Amino acid sequence: MTDTPPKTPKVDSTLSKGLSILENLAHAPSGKGVTELSVELGLTKSNTFRLLQSLTTLGYVKHLESKAYAATLKTWQIGRASVDNLNLRELAAPEMSFLSKETGETIYLAVPEHLGIVYIDKIESQKPIRSWSPIGGEAPIHCVGTGKAILAANYGSMRERIKGQLTRHTEKTISSIAALDDDINATLARGYAVDQGEFRERIWSLGAAITLPSGESIASLGISLPDVSMPENGLDRYGSLVANCAESVSAKLARR
């Protein structure tokens, strides 16, 4: 007698279509109209319009003055709450302590927020000349090591969102999508991101992505220091250290 394979749960059609609209809008910084959404998702215009009205009523979508529809922060708030529930600070604490002891520099734990990152934990350097940003501080995702690491891991879904939003902060800031493409490829090949004064003059940083089993990055670890403090072969050594530590935290997430 053979075992009967478990049946795949039936997916509600209306719910599935509504979520596909929400996911599509979440990656469209300028919003999209009914016609554009219906064509991209293979839905009728009337069905798309009805679903948008429901999502708007529930607070997940807003109707812009341009007549387009855009995702609201409610979607982001749910995702952020899920990240907070993972206890990232607790999981990453041993790796942050290790990086601090090995480098003597400032160590950060960051999470993505829109097209930037927020530092949710840090270990301060005790050196007289050091990098400094507060817990809760923000930085553009394309300018710092922690941000660039997250961006590289999620580039497939973030490239169109970041295109045209590459604000310049120093002479070294990457401000063209072609240059960013090259930098992302280099980051993926190395396994860690490098910022050589792209956000703040003479402040360098390295970052590596903390990922879910799906490969999506929800956070990153980083080392930040003044350029004068970077030792010989420091980029390779520090980069390998932060990459290994981020991989360790990712493995903990997978086990959980």
Side-chain angles (χ1 to χ4, degrees), residues 86-107:
L86 293 173
N87 294 323
L88 281 172
R89 294 180 185 86
E90 177 184 338
L91 286 177
E95 285 76 9
M96 292 182 68
S97 178
F98 173 79
L99 288 172
S100 176
K101 291 175 181 177
E102 287 292 312
T103 68
E105 302 296 347
T106 304
I107 309 302

Side-chain angles (χ1 to χ4, degrees), residues 76-239:
W76 168 80
Q77 289 166 347
I78 292 174
R80 184 63 181 272
S82 298
V83 170
D84 290 343
N85 288 337
L86 293 173
N87 294 323
L88 281 172
R89 294 180 185 86
E90 177 184 338
L91 286 177
E95 285 76 9
M96 292 182 68
S97 178
F98 173 79
L99 288 172
S100 176
K101 291 175 181 177
E102 287 292 312
T103 68
E105 302 296 347
T106 304
I107 309 302
Y108 291 107
L109 174 63
V111 295
E113 183 170 313
H114 307 305
L115 295 181
I117 55 95
V118 176
Y119 301 114
I120 63 171
D121 205 359
K122 67 180 289 191
I123 298 178
E124 194 71 68
S125 170
Q126 299 304 309
K127 294 182 178 180
I129 303 176
R130 56 193 174 188
S131 164
W132 188 87
S133 288
I135 293 177
E138 302 178 10
I141 202 167
H142 67 288
C143 291
V144 294
T146 49
K148 292 168 76 175
I150 294 171
L151 182 59
N154 300 341
Y155 204 50
S157 62
M158 293 195 69
R159 186 180 185 276
E160 287 305 309
R161 293 172 58 198
I162 196 73
K163 188 177 180 180
Q165 306 295 321
L166 301 174
T167 53
R168 180 175 290 279
H169 298 269
T170 74
E171 291 183 356
K172 296 185 177 181
T173 302
I174 295 174
S175 56
S176 76
I177 194 65
L180 184 61
D181 288 341
D182 291 340
D183 189 79
I184 292 299
N185 288 333
T187 295
L188 294 173
R190 285 190 304 259
Y192 59 89
V194 176
D195 146 39
Q196 295 179 289
E198 295 166 35
F199 182 48
R200 290 182 292 170
E201 297 282 357
R202 305 197 64 180
I203 297 296
W204 291 17
S205 63
L206 302 94
I210 296 171
T211 60
L212 298 174
S214 64
E216 177 189 0
S217 177
I218 58 167
S220 61
L221 287 174
I223 304 168
S224 183
L225 66 161
D227 59 358
V228 296
S229 299
M230 181 66 74
E232 187 176 353
N233 298 322
L235 281 177
D236 289 339
R237 178 170 176 267
Y238 288 0

